[in-house]
Amino acid sequence: MGSYCYFNVNPDIRQQHGFQAPVKPGVKFHDLLVVSLGGQGQYEHVINDIGDPTSGDTTIPSQVVSFP
């Protein structure tokens, strides 16, 4: 699953996470990806508080292989 941001009007915008999910039995995700297109804006995490932030001024994704 993937999510992208492109905040070209205000590239200083920071999105806390691309996905949010409850942490409880039976809730699982795999192969998650967030990306800031052209480095316009940033995700702080991929899902909940897990995953590296997107950063820089190019399109560099951040991935989480398995959650939780």
Side-chain angles (χ1 to χ4, degrees):
M1 197 159 46
S3 179
Y4 72 90
C5 68
Y6 181 65
F7 299 124
N8 64 322
V9 174
N10 183 354
D12 293 328
I13 293 175
R14 301 291 186 254
Q15 180 74 21
Q16 183 61 28
H17 45 255
F19 303 97
Q20 184 174 3
V23 179
K24 63 182 199 176
V27 177
K28 297 179 183 182
F29 291 87
H30 62 89
D31 300 317
L32 298 169
L33 171 107
V34 296
V35 65
S36 171
L37 299 178
Q40 302 294 309
Q42 180 172 321
Y43 286 104
E44 298 296 334
H45 304 285
V46 178
I47 184 166
N48 296 359
D49 291 330
I50 307 297
D52 294 330
T54 57
S55 60
D57 56 3
T58 60
T59 302
I60 300 172
S62 180
Q63 298 177 297
V64 168
V65 175
S66 180
F67 176 86

